[in-house]
Amino acid sequence: MSMYLLSAHDISALVTELQASYDVYGPQVEPQTKQVFFDQLASAEALDLAAPIPSMPVKEILFPQMERILKYKYDAQSQSVELSKQYFERPKVLFGLRPCDLSGILVLDRFFLGQEFVDDVYLTHRRQCLLISNTCLHPFPQCFCVCTHSGPDADEGFDLDLTQLKDGILVRVGSEKGQALADAHQWSVASAAHAAEFKAVVERSIDLFPELATDNKAWVAKVMNRITTGFVKPETWEYIGDQCFECGACSFVCPTCSCFNIEDSATACGECERLRMRDSCSFEGYARMAGDHNPRQPVEDRRNKRFFCKLSYPQSKKYLRPGCVGCGRCQWVCPGDIGLPNVVQYIRREITGGQN
Amino acid sequence: MNLAHYKPCVCNLCGTGCGQFLNTDGQRVYGVAPLITHPVSKGKLCIRGWHANELLNTHERITTPLIREHGELRPASYDEAIAKVMSTLQTFKGEAGEIGVLASARSSNEDGYTLARLSREVLKTQLRGIGAEAGHRKSMDSLRHAFGYPGAHGSLTAIDHADYILVVGTDITRQNPIIGGNIHAAQRRGARVVTLSSSRTQIAKLSTKHFQEKPGTLGLLVNALGKSLMAIRTVNHDRRANIDKLPGYSEYAASLRSISSVALERASGIRYEEIEEEAKYLEHAKSVVILFSSGISGLDRPTIDAITNLALLTDRMDHPHSAVIPVAGISNLQGSFDMGMSGELGNSVFKALATPDSAIKALLVIDHDDGIIRDKARIAALDFVVYACAYKNAFMELADVVFPLPAYNETDGTYTAADKRVQITRQNVDNKRGILPGWNLWQRLAAAVGHHWGYQDAAHVFKDVAKHTPGYADLSHELLGKGFGQHWNPKGFASSRQRQFNAINIEYWEAPTSPQFPFALMIGKAQHYWHQNNLMRKTIVPRREYDQTLWLYPQGYIEISPDDATRLKVKDKWLVNVRSSIGTSMKIAVKISPDVQNGTAYIPYFIKNMISDFLLPYENAYAAGEESVIPIQIQE
Ligand code: SF4
Ligand code: SF4
Ligand code: SF4
Ligand code: SF4
C-alpha cells in the first residue's frame, strides 16, 4: 500500500480540486447548535476533519430517509402510462468518513448490491463515489468500534485514508481509484517512521477507549452466541421491550440499517409519485403480513429482532462482519435505555447473574 | 457557515417542543435529525418528530384561497377572498355575539397574537376559544391561584435533577414521549418516579411505584398523599415549613384531615398505609416535579387543585429542580392561551355553538385537527364560516371561504412549550405558492376594513407580543434565535410571588356502575397519535402504525382485563354487545389486556369516529376528560 504525507493545505487544495467535478461531502459543525453533520461542503474551509463523529450516519447520502424514486402518469385517453425515474447519478466524494461509517457503507453495499437483487436506486447513488476515510485519534464518548472490528482505523473499502500525524496528514491508498488520484499529484511519499507513527497513533487511540468498551469486546462475541442460539431469557427481552418507545430512531441513525417502506402517493388526478422511506423493525406495522398475521406484535419481539439483526451469526454471514459497527448512535437517540451497547450489558448481566 | 441541508427548528407535533433538524434543500424536506444539545429533548425525538418530513411532504395541502360558489369551493385570489370575508363579516355584530373565533393550539404566537387583535379590535367579539383549550383553562386557573400566574411552575429540565417525580394520570410515554423518556432516565439515575393511573400504562411500568387506583379517584388519591405528608410534618419538627401561613392552608388542612382511610380504600382501592409509606419518600425529597396532562382530555379542576395544593404542601417549590407542569398535547397550547385567544369562562365560542338559541351567526376557524367536529350541525347552519389551515381536512366542507396557511417550516414563528419555553422556528423552505403567514393574513383582513397595523415581518409582530403579553417582555426573535429558547418570565405577573392553596372538597367518588351496568368505561388516548389524528393521517409510517390496531380490530375495540374476559367467557377479537346505561349500544371487538384492571374498560379516543353514535350523548362526559366514566354492560 503506498503512503504519502500531505499538509493541511494539500488537503484543502484537494477538496477544492475535487469540487470541480464532484459533489464533495464532509464533516462540518453546524454553527448554532455545534452539532456535526456529514453534509455537502460549500467550500474547503467548512471541512472539519477533527470534528467528532457526525450525528447522522453517512447513509443519509446513499440511502436518504425519504426519496422520490418514480413518477407515473396515467393517460386515460390513450390508455398509456408514462414513467419517469426520479433518482439521478451524481459523482460524489465522501471526504473524511469515520471508520465505523465506512464499515456501514460496506454493509449496505452487501445488502443492496451483493445479493441476487441489485437495488438500482442505491447503486445509482453509490456508483461514482470516492470514499476517503479518516482515522479516529481518540474515541468519542459513545464509541465502541473496537468491539465490532470497525475502528478506530479503517482497514478495507476506502479509496484514500487519512490519519493526522505530527508532521502532517498520512494518506494511505486503498484502491486503484485512490492510486490514480495520488499519481496525479506530486504528494511526498511517507517514510517508514511515518508508518510506525501511524501504528502508534492507532494503538494509543485503542488504549483511550474506556475499559468497558474494550472489555465488552469479548462480551460482544458471547452475546452474539447467546442471541444466535436463542438463550436470552424472555424476562430480559421484556425488560428491554418495556423501555422501547417505538420511535424508530435506532434504525434511522444506524449506519447499517437498510429496511425501507414504499408508498405511492397521488399528486394530482392520474399522477402519482413513488416514495421510498426508511423503516424500522421497532414498529408494529413493519412485520405485519397479509391476512393480518403479525409474527412480531408484542414490542419485546420486535426489539429482539433488531438485536438479532445486529448481533447474530446468520446476519454476520450475510454482511461478512457483525451488523453493528460500534458507532454508538443508537444509544444517544434512544428515549429508552436500550441502545445496542446497553443491550450487550443487559445480556452480559444475565450471563453473569448480576455481576456486571 | 450554515450547512447546506440541515436546518435547526422546533418540532411542532406536541407541547414538549423538542429540538429538531430538518434535512432540506430549501424546496422540499427529505428527512429529520434530532438536536443533541437541546436542553429538553437532548437528541431524542418520538415517532411523530422523526416523521415530520412525511407530513411536510403531503400533497393534501390547501394551496390557494377558496370561495364556495354554487355549493363548490373554487380557487380565488387573496384580494377577492379577503374582500368577501370582510364585507360579509361586517354585516354581523361582534359585540352582540354574532361572530365566533376558534383559534388553533398549533398556530405560532405571532399568528395567535394578531388573531386576538383581529377578534378584539376589528370583529369586536368576545366569543373566542382555542381548540383543545377546555382542559388547559382549568390547569391555568388552578396554577394561577396557587402560584400567581397562569403557566407551568418550573421547567421540564427539572425532571433531569429532581429527587421525586409524580406523574398523575396521563400515559406520558404516548402523549409526550420525550418527556416520558426523560422521566425514565430520571428513574434510572435514582429519582423516585411515582405514577397514579387507573391502567398499567408504559410510564407506570417504568416507574418506581405505580398506584393503580379505581377510575374517578385520582384527586382523592393526591389528597390522601397530602394528608399523610401533613401528618409526617406534624411529627417531624426538624423542618419548619411555614406553608401553614399561606392563604387557604387551614381550610385545606381541615379537608385533608377529614379523609377517612376506610372510605378512601373503598373508593380508590388503595390502602392508606401504602400512601403513608409513599409520603415518607415525598417528605425526604428535596426537589419534587409533578406532571399531569392538560388539554382536550386533561384532568378535572378538583384533581388539578389537589395537585397544586400537594405541590405547595411539599414546601419544595422554590427549589430550582422542582416543577408543576400541565403537559400539553399540542405544540402551542400554552402560547395560544398566553396570546389571549382563550375564551372567557362561560362565554366562549364553544358555549355559543352548544347553546341552541345563542346569537352566533358567523365563525372563523383555524386548524381543526380533531377527527370529530363538535356541534357540526350548528356550524353547518351558520350564515358564514371561514376556515384557515395548512392541510386539507373535513372542516373545509363546512366553510364558505377557505384560506391556506404555511406549514411550520415555511414561515418564521415562535411557539411556547408546556413549560413556558418560548422557541423560534425559522422559515427553512421557500414559500413557493406565496401563502400568507397567519399574522399577515389577519393583518390583511384588518386592513380591508381600515385597521392598519403595519407589521413587516414576524419579528416585528413579536415586538408587540413582548410589549403586551405578561412574561414575554424580555424576549425577541433575535434572542430566541441564539439558543434554545427561553421560558417566559412569571415576574411579568404582579402576583408571581404569591402562593395560596385552592379550596378542595373531599368526595368519595362512587362509580356510576351498578349490578346491571357493572363496567366503568373510560375513553383513553391510545396509540401514539391521540387527537392529532388528522395530521398523522397525512404521514406514511405513523399512519401505518396508527392503523395497526384497526387492522387487527376493524370494528374498533374495547379493552378489558383477562379476569373479566374469563368471566364473560369471551376471547380476544370476539365481538361483544356493549350497552350503556342510557341505552346506546354498539358491537365491538374485545381486546384482552393485562394492563386494565377488573371492572374497567377502555375505548381508545381515536376510535370515536367509528362509534360516535354510542358516545355522542356523552359528549359532555367525554369533554370532561381523562377521568370521565360511562357505566356499561358487556354481553357476548
Ligand atoms: S447498532 Fe447502534 S452502535 Fe451499532 S452500528 Fe447501529 S447505531 Fe451504531
Ligand atoms: S431489521 Fe431492524 S435492525 Fe435490521 S436492518 Fe432492518 S430496521 Fe435495522
Ligand atoms: S431508539 Fe430506543 S425507543 Fe426508539 S425504537 Fe429504538 S429501541 Fe425503541
Ligand atoms: S415528543 Fe413532541 S415535540 Fe418531541 S418529537 Fe415527539 S411530537 Fe415532537
Side-chain angles (χ1 to χ4, degrees):
Chain A
M1 181 189 295
S2 20
M3 288 196 268
Y4 304 88
L5 197 73
L6 273 65
S7 67
H9 178 261
D10 293 334
I11 294 288
S12 256
L14 179 62
V15 171
T16 310
E17 177 197 320
L18 289 169
Q19 278 183 318
S21 33
Y22 296 87
D23 289 346
V24 182
Y25 293 79
Q28 307 173 63
V29 180
E30 201 281 327
Q32 188 196 331
T33 58
K34 309 284 174 261
Q35 189 160 326
V36 182
F37 284 99
F38 204 92
D39 200 356
Q40 196 167 351
L41 296 166
S43 69
E45 289 88 78
L47 178 73
D48 185 348
L49 288 175
I53 173 172
S55 57
M56 292 294 283
V58 177
K59 80 172 177 188
E60 291 276 281
I61 300 157
L62 303 172
F63 171 45
Q65 190 173 342
M66 179 161 93
E67 65 181 318
R68 286 173 177 74
I69 53 178
L70 186 73
K71 259 192 184 160
Y72 55 92
K73 194 173 171 179
Y74 178 68
D75 184 353
Q77 216 145 54
S78 62
Q79 296 198 346
S80 62
V81 181
E82 204 180 292
L83 291 175
S84 65
K85 178 173 111 167
Q86 296 294 308
Y87 51 97
F88 308 99
E89 188 156 338
R90 290 187 68 91
K92 288 184 270 293
V93 183
L94 307 183
F95 205 110
L97 290 165
R98 292 292 171 194
C100 54
D101 277 333
L102 175 65
S103 302
I105 294 176
L106 302 183
V107 170
L108 291 184
D109 286 355
R110 279 166 201 140
F111 178 82
F112 283 117
L113 310 174
Q115 309 186 77
E116 295 144 66
F117 179 80
V118 171
D119 184 286
D120 192 54
V121 184
Y122 182 85
L123 179 64
T124 304
H125 294 316
R126 176 72 177 88
R127 191 149 40 206
Q128 290 187 58
C129 262
L130 204 61
L131 305 181
I132 304 183
S133 49
N134 179 23
T135 305
C136 295
L137 305 184
H138 57 83
F140 304 102
Q142 80 294 343
C143 297
F144 63 105
C145 58
V146 283
C147 311
T148 54
H149 316 280
S150 41
D153 58 325
D155 57 8
E156 56 162 345
F158 53 83
D159 295 303
L160 296 176
D161 174 71
L162 315 175
T163 307
Q164 179 73 53
L165 302 182
K166 272 204 259 348
D167 311 341
I169 294 143
L170 181 78
V171 175
R172 297 187 298 152
V173 172
S175 72
E176 280 171 25
K177 258 201 277 180
Q179 190 60 55
L181 208 56
D183 292 343
H185 294 81
Q186 315 287 281
W187 292 339
S188 54
V189 174
S191 67
H194 292 131
E197 192 188 342
F198 166 72
K199 281 217 173 77
V201 161
V202 173
E203 284 307 316
R204 192 172 57 233
S205 178
I206 293 174
D207 281 348
L208 288 172
F209 274 80
E211 209 179 286
L212 197 67
T214 34
D215 203 36
N216 248 347
K217 188 164 184 165
W219 283 104
V220 167
K222 277 193 209 160
V223 165
M224 256 174 114
N225 187 308
R226 279 258 162 159
I227 293 180
T228 309
T229 50
F231 274 132
V232 179
K233 289 192 194 129
E235 297 91 281
T236 305
W237 287 130
E238 207 182 316
Y239 176 73
I240 292 167
D242 276 349
Q243 297 188 49
C244 180
F245 288 61
E246 299 166 61
C247 66
C250 47
S251 308
F252 301 151
V253 300
C254 181
T256 69
C257 274
S258 49
C259 290
F260 60 81
N261 181 29
I262 295 276
E263 169 108 352
D264 283 7
S265 138
T267 53
C269 188
E271 263 180 56
C272 215
E273 61 184 13
R274 177 160 298 172
L275 300 169
R276 116 154 155 183
M277 69 233 49
R278 291 186 204 147
D279 205 342
S280 168
C281 56
S282 66
F283 295 136
E284 190 176 347
Y286 168 94
R288 196 182 64 89
M289 297 174 184
D292 285 347
H293 176 63
N294 194 334
R296 295 189 186 276
Q297 203 205 343
V299 61
E300 58 266 25
D301 285 4
R302 277 176 264 145
R303 286 305 59 201
N304 68 27
K305 159 80 178 124
R306 172 169 178 81
F307 301 109
F308 193 84
C309 182
K310 296 300 157 197
L311 292 178
S312 73
Y313 299 138
Q315 287 299 112
S316 304
K317 263 218 286 282
K318 192 159 96 195
Y319 301 140
L320 307 179
R321 54 154 295 114
C324 171
V325 296
C327 72
R329 289 183 181 103
C330 55
Q331 185 99 333
W332 90 42
V333 296
C334 180
D337 193 27
I338 42 174
L340 191 123
N342 271 4
V343 167
V344 171
Q345 286 292 315
Y346 297 150
I347 297 174
R348 175 174 170 177
R349 231 183 278 155
E350 177 192 304
I351 299 173
T352 59
Q355 277 112 53
N356 263 313
Chain B
M1 211 184 311
N2 288 329
L3 301 192
H5 291 106
Y6 295 91
K7 311 291 178 193
C9 66
V10 185
C11 178
N12 193 235
L13 297 173
C14 88
T16 311
C18 297
Q20 181 186 54
F21 281 94
L22 293 178
N23 177 353
T24 168
D25 58 2
Q27 302 298 319
R28 285 174 148 165
V29 178
Y30 300 97
V32 167
L35 205 163
I36 294 169
T37 43
H38 191 278
V40 175
S41 58
K42 299 187 266 308
K44 298 157 209 309
L45 294 169
C46 77
I47 182 172
R48 295 179 297 225
W50 269 109
H51 293 89
N53 61 314
E54 295 181 355
L55 175 66
L56 296 171
N57 270 284
T58 179
H59 296 293
E60 291 177 59
R61 288 289 299 271
I62 301 170
T63 54
T64 164
L66 303 164
I67 292 179
R68 189 170 300 280
E69 214 171 68
H70 313 301
E72 297 286 318
L73 288 170
R74 59 136 176 107
S77 69
Y78 268 110
D79 285 342
E80 186 190 4
I82 288 171
K84 160 111 185 157
V85 167
M86 290 322 281
S87 62
T88 313
L89 285 181
Q90 274 191 314
T91 64
F92 303 110
K93 292 188 210 59
E95 299 94 325
E98 294 184 352
I99 307 174
V101 180
L102 184 47
S104 160
R106 277 200 285 119
S107 296
S108 68
N109 291 323
E110 291 75 1
D111 292 6
Y113 177 80
T114 42
L115 183 64
R117 273 195 80 175
L118 182 74
S119 318
R120 274 195 312 262
E121 299 169 21
V122 182
L123 306 177
K124 306 214 179 342
T125 178
Q126 302 294 327
L127 293 185
R128 294 190 297 271
I130 310 165
E133 75 163 19
H136 200 57
R137 164 176 280 287
K138 294 177 206 146
S139 311
M140 292 298 105
D141 289 348
S142 182
L143 284 162
R144 184 181 196 129
H145 185 85
F147 292 97
Y149 56 93
H153 175 74
S155 163
L156 280 170
T157 53
I159 294 168
D160 308 333
H161 310 279
D163 294 342
Y164 192 100
I165 298 168
L166 182 64
V167 183
V168 185
T170 167
D171 187 1
I172 208 160
T173 55
R174 295 289 174 193
Q175 188 188 319
N176 300 64
I178 298 309
I179 300 180
N182 288 349
I183 298 172
H184 176 43
Q187 199 275 338
R188 297 195 312 270
R189 77 166 155 76
R192 187 169 175 86
V193 174
V194 179
T195 293
L196 315 182
S197 161
S198 58
S199 69
R200 208 164 157 265
T201 54
Q202 187 177 15
I203 194 68
K205 289 179 197 166
L206 296 174
S207 294
T208 327
K209 171 87 189 165
H210 173 208
F211 288 94
Q212 190 168 12
E213 86 289 352
K214 287 192 195 157
T217 60
L218 261 182
L220 178 63
L221 205 58
V222 174
N223 284 327
L225 196 52
K227 174 182 165 122
S228 27
L229 182 65
M230 194 172 68
I232 307 178
R233 285 290 166 72
T234 359
V235 184
N236 173 7
H237 282 286
D238 10 312
R239 222 180 84 217
R240 196 49 254 161
N242 52 12
I243 35 158
D244 50 356
K245 309 244 159 48
L246 298 181
Y249 177 79
S250 43
E251 294 84 348
Y252 174 50
S255 298
L256 290 186
R257 273 188 222 104
S258 77
I259 296 176
S260 128
S261 45
V262 180
L264 166 82
E265 186 174 340
R266 215 172 60 92
S268 69
I270 310 276
R271 284 172 47 245
Y272 186 60
E273 290 72 25
E274 248 191 288
I275 295 174
E276 282 183 309
E277 277 308 302
E278 192 53 47
K280 289 183 194 156
Y281 292 100
L282 189 51
E283 164 68 2
H284 284 121
K286 297 213 162 36
S287 46
V288 177
V289 171
I290 309 184
L291 301 137
F292 60 98
S293 143
S294 189
I296 197 154
S297 62
L299 301 170
D300 54 12
R301 178 75 196 262
T303 308
I304 303 171
D305 288 343
I307 291 169
T308 53
N309 280 4
L310 179 69
L312 290 179
L313 188 67
T314 63
D315 198 25
R316 296 299 193 190
M317 286 298 125
D318 292 320
H319 194 286
H321 301 147
S322 288
V324 183
I325 299 181
V327 180
I330 307 186
S331 57
N332 202 30
L333 181 55
Q334 181 64 45
S336 308
F337 192 89
D338 299 340
M339 295 307 117
M341 274 317 299
S342 171
E344 288 170 12
L345 207 58
N347 188 28
S348 70
V349 63
F350 305 107
K351 182 80 183 291
L353 288 170
T355 310
D357 54 357
S358 68
I360 187 163
K361 294 200 171 96
L363 188 64
L364 167 58
V365 179
I366 330 299
D367 290 349
H368 199 288
D369 295 329
D370 214 321
I372 311 120
I373 300 172
R374 283 160 72 189
D375 305 306
K376 190 170 177 179
R378 181 71 193 272
I379 296 172
L382 293 174
D383 293 348
F384 191 56
V385 176
V386 183
Y387 182 60
C389 187
Y391 306 99
K392 289 185 185 162
N393 72 35
F395 209 93
M396 291 170 75
E397 287 157 29
L398 296 170
D400 299 293
V401 178
V402 174
F403 286 107
L405 287 174
Y408 73 90
N409 66 327
E410 292 167 354
T411 176
D412 288 1
T414 62
Y415 301 85
T416 306
D419 63 346
K420 314 194 298 299
R421 184 188 292 276
V422 187
Q423 306 187 93
I424 189 164
T425 284
R426 299 244 186 235
Q427 176 176 1
N428 57 35
V429 293
D430 284 350
N431 180 353
K432 286 186 295 275
R433 304 181 186 105
I435 294 175
L436 293 180
W439 61 265
N440 207 2
L441 178 60
W442 313 138
Q443 159 164 282
R444 295 256 317 252
L445 288 177
V449 289
H451 294 254
H452 296 281
W453 298 342
Y455 294 128
Q456 251 93 73
D457 52 22
H460 190 181
V461 177
F462 196 84
K463 283 198 183 119
D464 259 10
V465 171
K467 204 186 305 167
H468 299 292
T469 313
Y472 283 69
D474 315 330
L475 308 178
S476 67
H477 273 205
E478 199 195 351
L479 179 91
L480 297 175
K482 279 185 188 137
F484 301 103
Q486 194 165 310
H487 299 101
W488 59 254
N489 189 348
K491 292 201 187 104
F493 288 82
S495 50
S496 72
R497 300 227 154 257
Q498 137 203 323
R499 299 276 191 276
Q500 53 188 10
F501 289 93
N502 277 290
I504 59 159
N505 254 327
I506 300 301
E507 274 169 22
Y508 304 97
W509 196 77
E510 293 276 346
T513 50
S514 62
Q516 203 196 346
F517 298 99
F519 284 93
L521 174 71
M522 285 170 286
I523 305 145
K525 296 163 284 187
Q527 302 301 76
H528 313 282
Y529 313 108
W530 190 33
H531 58 269
Q532 304 215 348
N533 279 355
N534 278 350
L535 290 189
M536 285 303 120
R537 291 221 67 83
K538 296 183 170 59
T539 64
I540 298 166
V541 170
R543 186 194 57 210
R544 179 193 70 192
E545 292 305 299
Y546 162 87
D547 284 339
Q548 281 319 298
T549 9
L550 289 187
W551 286 107
L552 291 173
Y553 302 91
Q555 325 252 0
Y557 64 84
I558 182 162
E559 266 184 296
I560 57 174
S561 74
D563 286 355
D564 284 338
T566 314
R567 229 166 288 140
L568 290 166
K569 302 199 179 62
V570 293
K571 294 223 166 70
D572 200 58
K573 299 204 185 69
W574 283 18
L575 285 184
V576 288
N577 271 316
V578 174
R579 230 159 53 80
S580 79
S581 56
I582 58 157
T584 55
S585 69
M586 64 178 163
K587 236 185 160 62
I588 195 167
V590 159
K591 182 177 182 204
I592 300 174
S593 160
D595 301 337
V596 171
Q597 53 178 308
N598 295 345
T600 66
Y602 274 88
I603 299 184
Y605 184 105
F606 70 92
I607 291 182
K608 178 157 183 212
N609 302 351
M610 320 177 61
I611 54 173
S612 55
D613 290 349
F614 180 80
L615 286 175
L616 224 46
Y618 286 102
E619 193 65 71
N620 289 332
Y622 162 76
E626 218 171 75
E627 286 281 279
S628 55
V629 164
I630 300 170
I632 54 161
Q633 59 172 233
I634 302 176
Q635 280 167 344
E636 217 185 317

